[in-house]
Amino acid sequence: MDKEAIADLIEAKYSELITWLENQPNDSWTQGPEGKWTTGQHALHLLQSIIPLNNALSMPKYLLRFKYGKANRPVRPYAAIVKRYQERLSEAKGKTNKSSKNLKTPTLADKQYLLNRIQTKEKKLQYKTRRISDKNLDTVVLPHPLMGKMPVREIIMWTAHHVEHHTNTLKQIIAISYVAHNNFYLKI
């Protein structure tokens, strides 16, 4: 996938997320299903995952190559990255990264601030994606806590999917809670 398409995909996925979050009832921001994240925690997690990527992309690329090495394989297509992520998630069996394990629950007062920060960081990622050379996108690698080292092009594509994954999870949680709250029973 070329960098313009990746930047557009980032914009589309984050735009869908932000629009969805802005249209949700306030109580879902701080309350979630038993043992699951609240909507606010999902938003905070997505913010916390984009910040290190933007920070890494702000560093000189030779430092990243020195610290993490260079890609030793061709870049995978988007569909392969998504498939690999889903496989790794199922292997993890619900375990989360230690930084996401005890995620604080953002207050309703934090909501607009977090949404603004996500949008700012997403725009920054789009800009950095468009500005980085194709060579660096394909040869510089960054570590991912679940997927291992990935070329920058892949980790940016993964970021788009990660947002989609959490948006879909949130939609499912709301749908399930709506069904449970209204005593709807579906026969399958």
Side-chain angles (χ1 to χ4, degrees):
M1 184 179 293
D2 72 44
K3 59 188 176 182
E4 284 298 321
I6 296 169
D8 291 345
L9 184 64
I10 290 285
E11 181 175 19
K13 299 303 180 185
Y14 276 97
S15 178
E16 180 183 357
L17 170 72
I18 295 297
T19 300
W20 190 86
L21 289 172
E22 288 174 339
N23 289 304
Q24 294 312 300
N26 287 337
D27 62 339
S28 71
W29 185 258
T30 56
Q31 298 171 9
E34 186 68 33
K36 301 288 184 185
W37 283 349
T38 66
T39 301
Q41 286 173 308
H42 280 272
L44 180 59
H45 169 72
L46 290 171
L47 177 62
Q48 289 177 341
S49 69
I50 196 173
I51 288 172
L53 177 56
N54 278 334
N55 291 344
L57 294 177
S58 296
M59 294 176 68
K61 304 313 172 256
Y62 72 88
L63 285 178
L64 296 174
R65 275 192 286 278
F66 177 76
K67 187 168 184 176
Y68 303 115
K70 290 170 59 172
N72 60 3
R73 60 173 174 76
V75 173
R76 294 181 177 111
Y78 182 76
I81 296 164
V82 170
K83 182 177 185 253
R84 185 172 165 84
Y85 179 60
Q86 296 304 327
E87 289 167 356
R88 293 288 174 100
L89 274 180
S90 66
E91 290 168 8
K93 296 181 171 100
K95 294 179 185 168
T96 59
N97 181 342
K98 61 184 169 192
S99 64
S100 298
K101 199 171 214 108
N102 297 315
L103 203 59
K104 77 173 189 108
T105 303
T107 66
L108 192 54
D110 297 329
K111 182 178 180 179
Q112 197 55 53
Y113 172 76
L114 284 174
L115 295 182
N116 290 342
R117 288 282 315 272
I118 290 170
Q119 287 176 303
T120 301
K121 298 301 179 185
E122 172 258 329
K123 295 295 180 202
K124 186 175 185 178
L125 182 58
Q126 282 182 59
Y127 175 78
K128 290 181 176 298
T129 301
R130 289 185 168 104
R131 300 279 302 174
I132 191 171
S133 71
D134 283 311
K135 179 184 175 192
N136 283 333
L137 275 171
D138 296 341
T139 60
V140 173
V141 294
L142 293 172
H144 183 281
L146 188 62
M147 306 271 286
K149 289 183 181 178
M150 300 171 70
V152 170
R153 187 182 304 267
E154 284 185 14
I155 208 161
I156 297 172
M157 288 190 284
W158 171 84
T159 299
H161 174 69
H162 187 228
V163 172
E164 178 183 11
H165 169 78
H166 281 273
T167 303
N168 290 340
T169 299
L170 286 166
K171 288 177 179 179
Q172 289 172 348
I173 289 169
I174 294 298
I176 289 168
S177 65
Y178 177 79
V179 168
H181 177 73
N182 291 297
N183 293 320
F184 290 125
Y185 296 98
L186 305 174
K187 288 187 177 181
I188 299 176

